[in-house]
Coordinates of all heavy atoms in Angstrom, one line a residue:
A1 N 77.6 148.1 106.8 CA 76.9 149.2 106.2 C 76.9 150.4 107.1 O 76.8 150.2 108.3 CB 75.4 148.8 105.8
F2 N 76.8 151.5 106.5 CA 76.6 152.7 107.4 C 75.4 153.5 107.0 O 74.8 154.3 107.7 CB 77.8 153.7 107.1 CG 79.1 153.2 107.8 CD1 80.0 152.5 107.2 CD2 79.2 153.5 109.2 CE1 81.1 152.0 107.9 CE2 80.4 153.1 109.9 CZ 81.3 152.4 109.1
L3 N 74.8 153.2 105.8 CA 73.7 153.8 105.2 C 72.5 152.9 105.5 O 72.6 151.7 105.6 CB 73.7 154.1 103.8 CG 74.8 155.1 103.4 CD1 74.9 155.1 101.8 CD2 74.6 156.4 104.0
P4 N 71.2 153.4 105.5 CA 70.1 152.5 105.7 C 70.0 151.3 104.6 O 70.4 151.6 103.5 CB 68.8 153.5 105.5 CG 69.4 154.9 105.8 CD 70.8 154.8 105.3
I5 N 69.4 150.3 105.1 CA 69.5 149.1 104.3 C 68.0 148.8 103.9 O 67.2 148.5 104.8 CB 70.0 147.8 105.0 CG1 71.4 148.1 105.4 CG2 69.8 146.6 104.1 CD1 71.9 147.2 106.5
D6 N 67.6 148.9 102.7 CA 66.3 148.6 102.1 C 66.3 147.1 101.9 O 67.1 146.5 101.2 CB 65.9 149.3 100.9 CG 64.5 149.1 100.4 OD1 64.0 148.0 100.7 OD2 64.0 150.1 99.8
W7 N 65.4 146.3 102.6 CA 65.4 144.9 102.5 C 65.2 144.4 101.1 O 65.6 143.2 100.8 CB 64.3 144.3 103.5 CG 64.4 144.6 104.9 CD1 65.5 145.2 105.4 CD2 63.6 144.2 105.9 NE1 65.3 145.3 106.8 CE2 64.2 144.6 107.1 CE3 62.4 143.4 105.9 CZ2 63.6 144.4 108.4 CZ3 61.9 143.2 107.2 CH2 62.4 143.7 108.4
R8 N 64.6 145.1 100.2 CA 64.4 144.6 98.9 C 65.7 144.5 98.1 O 65.8 143.9 97.1 CB 63.5 145.5 98.1 CG 62.0 145.4 98.6 CD 61.1 146.3 97.8 NE 61.3 147.6 98.2 CZ 60.6 148.7 97.8 NH1 59.7 148.5 97.0 NH2 60.8 149.9 98.3
K9 N 66.7 145.3 98.6 CA 68.0 145.2 97.9 C 69.0 144.2 98.4 O 70.1 144.0 98.0 CB 68.7 146.6 98.0 CG 67.9 147.6 97.3 CD 68.6 149.0 97.4 CE 67.6 150.0 96.6 NZ 68.1 151.4 96.8
L10 N 68.5 143.3 99.4 CA 69.3 142.3 100.0 C 69.2 141.0 99.0 O 68.2 140.8 98.4 CB 68.7 141.9 101.3 CG 68.9 142.9 102.4 CD1 68.2 142.4 103.6 CD2 70.4 143.1 102.8
D11 N 70.2 140.2 99.0 CA 70.2 139.0 98.3 C 69.5 138.0 99.2 O 70.0 137.5 100.2 CB 71.7 138.5 98.0 CG 71.7 137.2 97.3 OD1 70.7 136.8 96.8 OD2 72.8 136.6 97.2
L12 N 68.3 137.6 98.7 CA 67.4 136.7 99.5 C 67.3 135.3 98.9 O 66.3 134.6 99.2 CB 66.1 137.3 99.7 CG 66.0 138.7 100.4 CD1 64.6 139.3 100.5 CD2 66.8 138.7 101.8
K13 N 68.2 135.0 98.0 CA 68.1 133.8 97.2 C 68.6 132.5 97.9 O 68.2 131.4 97.6 CB 68.9 133.9 95.8 CG 68.2 134.9 94.9 CD 69.0 135.0 93.6 CE 68.3 136.0 92.7 NZ 68.7 137.3 92.9
S14 N 69.4 132.7 98.9 CA 69.9 131.6 99.7 C 68.9 130.8 100.5 O 67.9 131.5 100.9 CB 71.1 132.0 100.6 OG 70.5 132.7 101.8
P15 N 69.0 129.5 100.7 CA 68.0 128.9 101.5 C 67.9 129.4 102.9 O 66.8 129.5 103.4 CB 68.5 127.4 101.5 CG 69.5 127.3 100.4 CD 70.0 128.7 100.1
D16 N 69.0 129.8 103.4 CA 68.9 130.4 104.9 C 68.1 131.7 104.9 O 67.3 131.9 105.8 CB 70.4 130.7 105.3 CG 71.1 129.4 105.8 OD1 70.4 128.4 106.1 OD2 72.3 129.5 105.9
A17 N 68.3 132.6 103.9 CA 67.6 133.8 103.9 C 66.2 133.6 103.6 O 65.3 134.2 104.2 CB 68.2 134.8 102.8
H18 N 65.9 132.7 102.7 CA 64.4 132.3 102.5 C 63.8 131.7 103.7 O 62.7 132.2 104.1 CB 64.4 131.2 101.3 CG 63.0 130.9 100.9 ND1 62.2 131.7 100.3 CD2 62.3 129.8 101.2 CE1 61.0 131.2 100.2 NE2 61.0 129.9 100.6
Y19 N 64.5 130.9 104.4 CA 63.9 130.4 105.7 C 63.8 131.4 106.6 O 62.7 131.6 107.4 CB 64.9 129.3 106.2 CG 64.5 128.7 107.7 CD1 63.5 127.8 107.7 CD2 65.1 129.2 108.8 CE1 63.1 127.4 109.0 CE2 64.9 128.8 110.0 CZ 63.7 128.0 110.2 OH 63.4 127.5 111.4
F20 N 64.7 132.3 106.8 CA 64.7 133.4 107.8 C 63.4 134.2 107.6 O 62.7 134.5 108.5 CB 66.0 134.2 107.7 CG 65.9 135.4 108.7 CD1 66.3 135.2 110.0 CD2 65.6 136.7 108.3 CE1 66.4 136.2 110.9 CE2 65.6 137.7 109.2 CZ 66.0 137.5 110.5
F21 N 63.2 134.7 106.3 CA 62.1 135.5 106.1 C 60.7 134.8 106.1 O 59.7 135.4 106.4 CB 62.2 136.3 104.7 CG 63.0 137.6 104.9 CD1 64.4 137.6 104.6 CD2 62.5 138.7 105.5 CE1 65.1 138.7 104.8 CE2 63.2 139.9 105.6 CZ 64.6 139.9 105.3
S22 N 60.7 133.5 105.8 CA 59.4 132.8 105.9 C 59.0 132.6 107.4 O 58.0 132.8 107.8 CB 59.5 131.4 105.2 OG 60.4 130.6 105.8
E23 N 60.1 132.5 108.2 CA 59.8 132.4 109.7 C 59.4 133.7 110.2 O 58.4 133.8 111.0 CB 61.1 132.0 110.5 CG 61.4 130.5 110.5 CD 60.4 129.8 111.4 OE1 60.3 130.1 112.5 OE2 59.7 128.9 110.8
A24 N 60.0 134.8 109.8 CA 59.6 136.2 110.1 C 58.2 136.5 109.8 O 57.4 137.0 110.6 CB 60.6 137.1 109.6
A25 N 57.8 136.0 108.6 CA 56.5 136.3 108.1 C 55.4 135.5 109.0 O 54.2 136.0 109.2 CB 56.3 135.7 106.7
R26 N 55.7 134.3 109.5 CA 54.8 133.6 110.4 C 54.6 134.4 111.7 O 53.5 134.2 112.3 CB 55.5 132.3 110.8 CG 55.4 131.2 109.7 CD 55.8 129.9 110.1 NE 55.8 129.6 111.5 CZ 56.4 128.6 112.1 NH1 57.1 127.8 111.3 NH2 56.3 128.5 113.4
Y27 N 55.4 135.3 112.1 CA 55.3 136.1 113.3 C 54.8 137.5 112.9 O 54.9 138.4 113.8 CB 56.6 136.1 114.1 CG 56.9 134.8 114.7 CD1 57.8 133.9 114.0 CD2 56.2 134.4 115.8 CE1 58.0 132.6 114.5 CE2 56.5 133.1 116.4 CZ 57.5 132.2 115.7 OH 57.6 131.0 116.3
G28 N 54.4 137.7 111.8 CA 53.7 139.0 111.3 C 54.7 140.1 110.9 O 54.4 141.2 110.8
I29 N 56.0 139.7 110.8 CA 56.9 140.6 110.3 C 56.8 140.8 108.8 O 56.9 139.8 108.0 CB 58.4 140.2 110.7 CG1 58.5 140.2 112.2 CG2 59.4 141.2 110.1 CD1 59.8 139.7 112.8
G30 N 56.7 142.0 108.3 CA 56.5 142.3 106.9 C 57.6 142.0 106.0 O 58.8 141.9 106.5
A31 N 57.4 141.8 104.8 CA 58.4 141.6 103.8 C 59.2 142.8 103.4 O 60.4 142.8 102.9 CB 57.9 140.9 102.6
L32 N 58.6 144.0 103.6 CA 59.1 145.2 103.2 C 59.7 145.9 104.5 O 59.0 146.0 105.4 CB 58.1 146.1 102.5 CG 57.6 145.6 101.3 CD1 56.4 146.5 100.7 CD2 58.6 145.4 100.2
G33 N 60.8 146.3 104.5 CA 61.5 147.0 105.7 C 62.8 147.7 105.4 O 63.3 147.6 104.3
M34 N 63.2 148.4 106.4 CA 64.5 149.1 106.4 C 65.1 148.8 107.6 O 64.5 148.8 108.7 CB 64.2 150.6 106.2 CG 63.7 151.0 104.8 SD 64.1 152.7 104.5 CE 65.8 152.7 104.4
S35 N 66.4 148.9 107.6 CA 67.2 148.7 108.9 C 68.3 149.7 108.8 O 68.9 150.1 107.8 CB 67.9 147.3 108.9 OG 67.0 146.3 109.0
F36 N 68.5 150.3 110.0 CA 69.5 151.4 110.1 C 70.6 151.0 111.0 O 70.4 150.8 112.2 CB 68.8 152.6 110.7 CG 67.6 153.1 109.9 CD1 66.4 152.6 109.9 CD2 67.9 154.2 109.1 CE1 65.3 153.1 109.2 CE2 66.8 154.7 108.2 CZ 65.6 154.2 108.4
P37 N 71.8 150.8 110.5 CA 73.0 150.4 111.3 C 73.3 151.5 112.3 O 73.2 152.8 111.9 CB 74.1 150.2 110.3 CG 73.4 150.1 109.0 CD 72.1 150.9 109.1
M38 N 73.5 151.2 113.5 CA 73.8 152.1 114.5 C 75.3 151.9 115.0 O 75.6 150.8 115.3 CB 72.9 152.0 115.7 CG 71.4 152.1 115.3 SD 71.0 153.9 115.0 CE 69.6 153.7 114.0
R39 N 76.1 152.9 115.2 CA 77.4 152.8 115.6 C 77.6 153.8 116.8 O 77.2 154.9 116.6 CB 78.5 153.1 114.6 CG 78.4 152.3 113.4 CD 79.1 150.9 113.5 NE 79.2 150.2 112.2 CZ 78.2 149.5 111.6 NH1 77.0 149.6 112.1 NH2 78.4 148.9 110.5
G40 N 78.2 153.4 117.9 CA 78.4 154.3 119.0 C 79.9 154.6 119.0 O 80.7 154.1 118.3
P41 N 80.3 155.6 119.9 CA 81.6 156.2 119.9 C 82.6 155.2 120.6 O 83.8 155.2 120.3 CB 81.5 157.3 120.9 CG 80.3 157.0 121.7 CD 79.4 156.3 120.9

């Protein structure tokens, strides 16, 4: 990706994705988020 990624638009149906976000929630990471891909020269 080059544009910001809204986490709600990700495919979270896989068992791995579900596990990943449930682990993140245990550490206080919210379910709503955005990620900005960064590229250097």
Side-chain angles (χ1 to χ4, degrees):
F2 286 94
L3 298 175
I5 301 162
D6 187 330
W7 294 1
R8 288 181 288 185
K9 295 181 181 170
L10 294 171
D11 180 13
L12 305 178
K13 293 181 179 86
S14 77
D16 284 342
H18 182 70
Y19 172 77
F20 180 82
F21 274 99
S22 64
E23 277 292 301
R26 285 186 21 195
Y27 291 96
I29 296 174
L32 301 173
M34 289 200 72
S35 294
F36 299 84
M38 303 287 158
R39 305 275 190 284

